[in-house]
């Protein structure tokens, strides 16, 4: 059985990327603006016992939001979500995995493609992911796990499918989602909350 990736125009991609960035930013902003700082810090610690990163380090948090938005520029919105889902799976980040699977579904991604990201190589052979998406997912795994570095063949595979600027954006996206994963795992963000 094969499925095809929905074709999107550049305008639709940009709008979808902006919408996803806005959704992520809005979720965080809403959670932090609806209560006073002491209430948020107390509620966060009661839920997780850990620091509320957005409140405790607002400049770093805002800088990461800006980096996240910049990293997405020019990348296909579906690809962005696939990369973020795969990184979140590898980092065991339930909070980010919940967020990005929800965002992908809301953006029109198929249930099958979302469910099969963890086995993208096998699913790619069945036609669920394009060669370009598979190259991006291979690079995501290499950069996320860093098993002795990013092998030349993995990098070269991605370089065949992404022009230089787009490849740089992809690399930025991968290390940005890894940063988000590490913050959420370290602070024990609860899936579906905050």
């Amino acid at each position: 059985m094969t499925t095809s990736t929905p074709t999107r125009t550049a305008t639709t991609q940009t709008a979808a990327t902006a919408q996803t960035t806005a959704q992520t930013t809005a979720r965080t902003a809403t959670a932090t603006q609806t209560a006073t700082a002491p209430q948020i810090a107390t509620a966060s610690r009661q839920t997780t016992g850990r620091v509320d990163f957005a409140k405790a380090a607002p400049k770093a948090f805002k800088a990461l939001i800006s980096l996240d938005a910049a990293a997405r520029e020019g990348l296909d919105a579906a690809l962005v979500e696939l990369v973020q889902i795969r990184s979140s799976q590898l980092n065991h980040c339930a909070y980010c995995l919940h967020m990005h699977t929800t965002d992908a579904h809301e953006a029109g991604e198929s249930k099958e493609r979302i469910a099969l990201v963890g086995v993208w190589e096998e699913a790619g052979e069945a036609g669920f992911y394009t060669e370009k998406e598979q190259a991006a997912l291979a690079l995501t795994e290499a950069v996320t796990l860093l098993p002795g570095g990013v092998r030349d063949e993995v990098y070269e595979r991605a370089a065949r499918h992404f022009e230089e600027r787009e490849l740089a954006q992809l690399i930025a996206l991968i290390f940005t989602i890894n940063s988000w994963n590490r913050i959420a795992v370290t602070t024990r963000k609860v899936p579906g909350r905050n």
Side-chain angles (χ1 to χ4, degrees), residues 23 26 66 84-85:
Q23 289 170 341
S66 295
Q84 292 179 322
I85 290 167

Side-chain angles (χ1 to χ4, degrees), residues 116-126 129 134 141 157:
L116 294 171
V117 173
V119 290
W120 62 267
E121 288 179 275
E122 296 82 357
E125 291 173 9
Y129 305 105
Q134 291 177 64
E141 290 185 0
R157 179 181 182 185

Side-chain angles (χ1 to χ4, degrees), residues 38 41-42 54 62-63 74-76 96 124 133 142 159 176:
T42 301
K62 287 177 185 176
L75 293 176
D76 177 76
C96 294
E133 289 168 336
T176 303

Side-chain angles (χ1 to χ4, degrees), residues 5 8 13-14 16-21 24 67-88 96 99-101 103-104 107 109 113 117 132-133 136-137 140 162 166 169-174 176-177 180:
T5 304
R8 295 184 173 96
Q13 290 173 2
T14 303
T17 300
Q19 179 184 10
T20 303
T21 303
T24 303
L67 177 61
D68 188 277
R72 295 165 184 256
E73 285 181 17
L75 293 176
D76 177 76
L79 179 75
V80 168
E81 292 305 331
L82 294 175
V83 165
Q84 292 179 322
I85 290 167
R86 187 63 186 133
S87 176
S88 299
C96 294
M99 177 188 296
H100 294 296
T101 55
D103 289 349
E109 188 60 79
R113 283 172 40 95
V117 173
K132 186 174 184 174
E133 289 168 336
L137 291 167
T140 299
F162 294 88
E166 193 179 25
Q169 294 296 123
L170 176 61
I171 293 167
L173 175 70
I174 296 166
T176 303
I177 186 56
W180 285 124

Side-chain angles (χ1 to χ4, degrees), residues 48-51 93 179-189:
T48 66
R50 305 279 174 108
V51 67
C93 182
S179 295
W180 285 124
N181 291 161
R182 282 155 175 73
I183 290 168
V185 169
T186 302
T187 62
R188 291 190 181 156
K189 298 280 281 180

